[in-house]
Amino acid sequence: MRLLCVTAHPDDEAASFGGSLRLYHERGIETAVLCLTPGQAASNRGPARNDQELSAIRRQELAASCALLGVSRHLVLDYSDSKLHRLDLYAVVEAVTRYLRDFRPHVMLTFGPEGAVTGHTDHSMASVFTSLAFEWAARSNRYPDHFTQGLQPHRAQKLYYATANFTLPGRPPIAPAPTTAVIQIGDYLQTKIAAFQAHTTQAPVFPTVIPAILARGREERFHLAAASEPSDLRMETDLFEGIRQDG
Ligand SMILES: [Zn+2]
């Protein structure tokens, strides 16, 4: 079975989803990360002299992080960091839908519209694009040109938003989605921190971000935002609960 995680910046995959990505890899799930920007607007830039150099370095850092997390495949798109809200919505959803129809995940992960604990606008937009792609990938009247390129409609079974049971001091107000799934990541907490530290250009933020990762403890929290089978909400401990192999 397959799990797709859609993020906005290199390092999101580790900080917000890393424990679950590694856990499901260990359970035999094929995992993928689609990152919408190469993170070229970061204030911490390592040795990079311009945006192109920073993009190239951060793509390598993402590859190193994904290797630690056991991610089967990853792709970084070329959208501009911190400008996702300026883009043409239908065009970006097309790119996410194309990836979805190719990888054909059973379960999808992204941020909530609040933008995660940082409230970053790019995280919010990743949520919007991914939520629409989750719905539209299954519909034959959306992006039908895909079907002349070897792709078929695909209906993923569940969409989860990452969420948290805390907020960060000094950040803009956020209204996170309530937790409906708690995933115990155990010692993969250490793997997740190591994957975050693979983003070496971001070393100046390690002292602030790693305590936030530790604040989540050995668990990651999610909100079931959509499911192909209508159901009542209940607490889950497994993102693949009720998932059909042939779906
Ligand atoms: Zn981010």
Side-chain angles (χ1 to χ4, degrees), residues 9 11-12 123:
H9 315 110
D11 76 20
D12 293 338
H123 299 165

Side-chain angles (χ1 to χ4, degrees), residues 13-32:
E13 79 293 340
S16 296
F17 306 94
S20 298
L21 285 170
R22 180 60 192 257
L23 175 74
Y24 283 98
H25 164 73
E26 294 296 332
R27 289 188 183 172
I29 302 292
E30 188 179 357
T31 58

Side-chain angles (χ1 to χ4, degrees), residues 7-13 16 58 81 111 115-116 118 120 122-123:
T7 64
H9 315 110
D11 76 20
D12 293 338
E13 79 293 340
S16 296
R58 297 201 74 186
D81 184 1
F111 296 109
T118 60
H120 197 301
D122 282 348
H123 299 165

Side-chain angles (χ1 to χ4, degrees), residues 9-192:
H9 315 110
D11 76 20
D12 293 338
E13 79 293 340
S16 296
F17 306 94
S20 298
L21 285 170
R22 180 60 192 257
L23 175 74
Y24 283 98
H25 164 73
E26 294 296 332
R27 289 188 183 172
I29 302 292
E30 188 179 357
T31 58
V33 169
L34 175 64
C35 182
L36 298 178
T37 84
Q40 69 271 58
S43 6
N44 297 300
R45 306 179 67 83
R49 291 169 297 183
N50 53 49
D51 285 359
Q52 286 75 13
E53 288 186 7
L54 183 57
S55 297
I57 294 168
R58 297 201 74 186
R59 286 171 190 274
Q60 290 174 359
E61 292 172 349
L62 178 74
S65 168
C66 284
L68 288 169
L69 297 173
V71 171
S72 310
R73 59 159 117 168
H74 66 273
L75 178 66
V76 181
L77 298 181
D78 273 322
Y79 297 118
S80 289
D81 184 1
S82 294
K83 295 181 182 165
L84 291 182
H85 58 298
R86 304 279 188 172
L87 299 177
D88 181 85
L89 181 136
Y90 203 70
V92 184
V93 177
E94 187 272 331
V96 179
T97 301
R98 177 184 294 278
Y99 195 85
L100 213 168
R101 284 174 173 166
D102 180 50
F103 182 62
R104 308 185 74 76
H106 297 71
V107 175
M108 293 172 59
L109 309 177
T110 190
F111 296 109
E114 84 288 351
V117 289
T118 60
H120 197 301
T121 306
D122 282 348
H123 299 165
S124 301
M125 295 312 299
S127 180
V128 171
F129 299 140
T130 305
S131 300
L132 290 175
F134 175 87
E135 300 286 349
W136 291 354
R139 298 184 193 172
S140 57
N141 64 344
R142 295 290 181 187
Y143 313 114
D145 52 311
H146 288 178
F147 311 134
T148 63
Q149 300 162 18
L151 298 172
Q152 296 295 323
H154 177 68
R155 194 172 191 204
Q157 295 174 46
K158 287 187 189 170
L159 170 67
Y160 287 97
Y161 295 155
T163 193
N165 58 350
F166 64 93
T167 57
L168 295 178
R171 289 281 183 173
I174 57 161
T179 300
T180 68
V182 181
I183 305 305
Q184 298 297 333
I185 63 170
D187 289 343
Y188 298 134
L189 174 61
Q190 297 306 324
T191 316
K192 171 183 182 169

